[in-house]
Amino acid sequence: MSGKPELKGRAARLARLLPTGPGQAARTPFVLLVVLLLGGGLICLLVLNSALSEGAFKLEDLQRETKNLTDEEQALQRDIDAYSAPDALQRRARELGMVPGGDPAFLDPDGTVKGVPSPAPGVRQPAAYTPLVLAPEAMTDGPTPTGR
């Protein structure tokens, strides 16, 4: 006797379906596969988590840099607005010795002059004031400043 009771009927048919060899040898590769899959999954999650954290730090740095650059842009725009205000332009023009202009004259496309020009108020002109107007060829054909 082998120590196992002999089965009859339906129990004997079911017992034939079960493997009769050692069960440990068949479980070892399966257990190793499951352990390797779980270990690989954990390592992949660790790498993925590290990559996401690195991306979050880069995003935070870029957002901080964007905020600083936006603040700088706004400060520069305020400076431009202050310098281009009419009163600031007028003050700077007076510092440079400029005065408001007189009445202008306009040229029509056919060459006729419209209006009567007048000098700017407060500007002294010599008695025989003639503005110097150079022809375009006089400006290009003359000697160069270096004497070549």
Side-chain angles (χ1 to χ4, degrees):
M1 282 216 169
S2 65
K4 285 187 180 180
E6 194 168 312
L7 301 173
K8 294 184 179 176
R10 183 174 178 179
R13 288 193 310 261
L14 288 176
R16 283 188 297 204
L17 296 175
L18 296 175
T20 58
Q24 188 66 20
R27 287 186 199 157
T28 304
F30 177 72
V31 170
L32 284 176
L33 177 67
V34 169
V35 168
L36 287 175
L37 287 175
L38 288 175
L42 288 175
I43 290 173
C44 287
L45 284 176
L46 178 65
V47 169
L48 182 64
N49 192 14
S50 298
L52 288 175
S53 296
E54 182 181 353
F57 285 125
K58 284 183 182 178
L59 179 64
E60 184 180 337
D61 290 343
L62 290 174
Q63 285 175 340
R64 186 180 317 114
E65 184 178 352
T66 300
K67 182 185 177 302
N68 291 339
L69 290 174
T70 302
D71 292 344
E72 183 179 350
E73 179 193 15
Q74 290 174 352
L76 291 172
Q77 188 62 45
R78 278 193 306 271
D79 291 346
I80 289 171
D81 292 341
Y83 287 129
S84 63
D87 58 337
L89 290 175
Q90 182 182 17
R91 185 182 70 249
R92 182 72 179 130
R94 289 198 189 279
E95 289 172 1
L96 293 173
M98 300 173 111
V99 294
D103 293 328
F106 298 98
L107 293 176
D108 281 335
D110 61 358
T112 59
V113 178
K114 279 189 163 184
V116 178
S118 65
V123 176
R124 286 202 226 146
Q125 296 179 351
Y129 175 73
T130 308
L132 177 63
V133 179
L134 297 176
E137 33 310 318
M139 292 190 290
T140 57
D141 292 336
T144 58
T146 58
R148 289 187 216 167

